[in-house]
Amino acid sequence: MHYSILKYNLIYTSHTIFATILKMGMEKLQMVDLKSQYKKIKDDINIAMQEVLDNASYINGPQVGLFAQELATYLDVKHVIPCANGTDSLQIAMMALGLKPGDEIITPSYTYFATVEVIALLGLTPVFCEVDPKTFCIDASKIESLITPNTKAIVPVHLYGQTADMESILAIAEKHTLFVIEDNAQAIGGYYTFSDGTKKANGTMGNVGSTSFFPSKNLGCYGDGGALFTNDSDLAVRMKMVANHGQKSKYVHEIVGCNSRLDTLQAAVLRVKLQYLDSYCEARRSVADYYDKAFANNPSITTPFCSPSSYHVYHQYTIQLHDVDRDAVQKELAIRGIPTTIYYPIPAHRQAMIESLHLGETVLETTDWLTARVLSLPIHTEMNEEQLSFISTQLIEIIENLKQK
Ligand SMILES: *Cc1c(COP(=O)(O)O)cnc(C)c1O
């Protein structure tokens, strides 16, 4: 009897896949759909880009400063300093804060590698902190035990679009006089609510926040881009200098810097897209809401936990799979035309680059545990209900079938 149900399911499955794909006009499912997003704002974008071309002000054109002002207003932060990409933004922050080789920086290993790479690049020492298995963000309760006299900064990452536990992190930082650099590459548009009810935009709570405008990020441009946010005016001056060859005025170099600029075409694109950021966040949240409902009570799927303090903007929708082979599920989804990604297959502390630093033994059980179980599903601003229904039905069915084997 079991067998016949299974067989019926399989026949039924291939039939529905075919019917659904037909209905969707054979539209290919993607992790992100930047083409459809562009089509909707094409006229505004094209006009904005044409203006830059007409004025040939490719570097430091007026759009760069205007975008910085508009983003500062949006985030309610004093200073926004644009730069070339998100990785640079982290580097500029650490250089401007005067961090020196030997300084220890507490950060999660469970992040995109750039966070850690920049620490190593500057000769600083990464000290890996465990993450909270529910939020995927740094586990604030484990930070204090890692603090030594050499600790200078904490770099929380607002992973997948959810704000880290900033209230606890800021309290620890204040107690031990540490800098806080928020890696906000995945959570722009989101905000955090403190226990007294105060709301602050992600990236504006620490000494400095950094972000990326990589095309697939929540506020993405059409190339590379990044920015820094701060309410500290002295730090803003230093970060501007670092991003501009260490100079305040032309040809007068006061400190070691680098060359990191947001180009005018990207700023023009971002000025248009900033107007849609709230609606993009809402679109992502309704995708998440759909998945949450579809997978509720499925014992094999843990849906993302949403902290009540965080307005989650779902850069990724990342589930944890239990009692079923995650890689087999991913393979089967791919066969059915559903792309998924594992963010991140190898945590930073297991990367050869970090092992070459001989930091000593790093035990991060939760990080390793998550790495083996997470799977990120397609989520973007252009998803429709048909696609969501298809993806969730297929995933549930695949898990059922694998468990019956
Ligand atoms: C994307 C990302 C970065 C780096 O941004 P780039 O613009 O690609 O350099 C840094 N940290 C995190 C968490 C990211 O997701």
Side-chain angles (χ1 to χ4, degrees):
M1 188 203 152
H2 242 89
Y3 174 69
S4 63
I5 289 174
L6 190 63
K7 210 167 118 193
Y8 170 76
N9 266 343
L10 288 175
I11 294 163
Y12 176 73
T13 304
S14 50
H15 172 77
T16 29
I17 293 175
F18 191 62
T20 314
I21 288 180
L22 265 187
K23 254 205 287 178
M24 293 193 308
M26 299 301 263
E27 202 181 300
K28 223 179 108 199
L29 286 163
Q30 293 169 278
M31 286 299 284
V32 268
D33 183 358
L34 297 173
K35 266 191 202 167
S36 305
Q37 195 193 53
Y38 166 64
K39 267 188 207 154
K40 288 189 184 159
I41 54 171
K42 188 174 177 169
D43 292 343
D44 288 352
I45 292 277
N46 289 6
I47 289 167
M49 290 186 88
Q50 190 61 52
E51 198 185 330
V52 177
L53 298 177
D54 289 339
N55 292 314
S57 50
Y58 306 121
I59 297 290
N60 286 334
Q63 287 84 351
V64 179
L66 289 169
F67 169 64
Q69 274 171 27
E70 287 155 7
L71 185 57
T73 305
Y74 174 87
L75 296 169
D76 193 20
V77 70
K78 272 193 199 151
H79 307 278
V80 167
I81 296 117
C83 66
N85 58 65
T87 310
D88 275 10
S89 68
L90 288 160
Q91 181 183 333
I92 293 162
M94 291 180 203
M95 288 172 76
L97 287 169
L99 300 177
K100 300 257 162 9
D103 289 349
E104 292 174 7
I105 316 298
I106 298 174
T107 195
S109 168
Y110 190 84
T111 176
Y112 179 57
F113 193 65
T115 321
V116 177
E117 180 182 35
V118 163
I119 295 172
L121 177 75
L122 296 175
L124 314 172
T125 306
V127 174
F128 296 115
C129 185
E130 194 55 282
V131 289
D132 178 335
K134 280 160 86 185
T135 64
F136 303 105
C137 293
I138 194 166
D139 184 344
S141 72
K142 303 222 166 102
I143 292 177
E144 272 195 297
S145 64
L146 300 172
I147 294 175
T148 75
N150 294 325
T151 307
K152 290 285 149 52
I154 307 170
V155 184
V157 182
H158 303 319
L159 205 73
Y160 304 151
Q162 175 151 244
T163 323
D165 177 5
M166 287 308 290
E167 186 149 336
S168 308
I169 294 166
L170 292 172
I172 295 165
E174 195 180 335
K175 184 171 157 198
H176 298 272
T177 333
L178 305 174
F179 296 123
V180 175
I181 303 166
E182 297 173 65
D183 182 343
N184 191 32
Q186 300 190 1
I188 196 164
Y191 57 84
Y192 182 82
T193 309
F194 289 83
S195 51
D196 68 358
T198 317
K199 292 184 198 308
K200 281 192 182 166
N202 291 343
T204 68
M205 293 169 269
N207 299 82
V208 49
S210 70
T211 204
S212 163
F213 302 124
F214 185 83
S216 63
K217 298 282 157 93
N218 287 23
L219 177 60
C221 59
Y222 295 166
D224 274 310
L228 291 141
F229 324 136
T230 189
N231 284 309
D232 176 339
S233 300
D234 293 336
L235 182 60
V237 170
R238 279 201 305 281
M239 292 197 296
K240 261 184 220 162
M241 285 172 74
V242 170
N244 184 26
H245 302 287
Q247 62 190 346
K248 240 184 274 175
S249 43
K250 220 170 177 184
Y251 307 127
V252 185
H253 305 275
E254 298 175 41
I255 54 175
V256 175
C258 58
N259 174 25
S260 188
R261 298 182 283 239
L262 178 72
D263 70 65
T264 315
L265 279 168
Q266 301 310 335
V269 168
L270 287 165
R271 287 190 72 201
V272 174
K273 289 190 70 180
L274 180 59
Q275 300 170 54
Y276 296 92
L277 180 55
D278 284 342
S279 67
Y280 289 163
C281 291
E282 279 159 29
R284 286 175 178 278
R285 283 168 61 87
S286 40
V287 170
D289 191 49
Y290 187 101
Y291 283 141
D292 279 349
K293 286 184 180 130
F295 305 137
N297 310 320
N298 188 312
S300 300
I301 303 174
T302 302
T303 54
F305 169 79
C306 189
S307 153
S309 320
S310 168
Y311 180 81
H312 199 323
V313 290
Y314 293 96
H315 176 58
Q316 299 299 341
Y317 186 89
T318 303
I319 57 170
Q320 300 170 40
L321 290 172
H322 308 279
D323 312 319
V324 61
D325 179 349
R326 188 259 322 260
D327 297 345
V329 171
Q330 183 176 40
K331 234 184 238 163
E332 188 59 32
L333 282 165
I335 290 168
R336 299 180 187 204
I338 301 169
T340 54
T341 309
I342 295 161
Y343 297 111
Y344 294 91
I346 309 170
H349 73 289
R350 296 200 177 277
Q351 298 285 350
M353 190 267 118
I354 293 300
E355 283 168 359
S356 75
L357 297 178
H358 303 293
L359 298 172
E361 204 196 1
T362 312
V363 181
L364 298 168
E365 279 171 11
T366 305
T367 295
D368 289 334
W369 192 90
L370 286 174
T371 303
R373 282 168 183 82
V374 290
L375 190 66
S376 298
L377 305 181
I379 188 164
H380 55 79
T381 58
E382 311 304 313
M383 285 186 90
N384 59 45
E385 214 164 307
E386 242 165 350
Q387 294 173 315
L388 288 167
S389 152
F390 178 69
I391 294 167
S392 41
T393 322
Q394 296 303 314
L395 176 57
I396 290 167
E397 206 171 86
I398 287 165
I399 292 172
E400 280 308 303
N401 289 348
L402 285 169
K403 281 169 97 172
Q404 278 180 37
K405 267 191 187 163

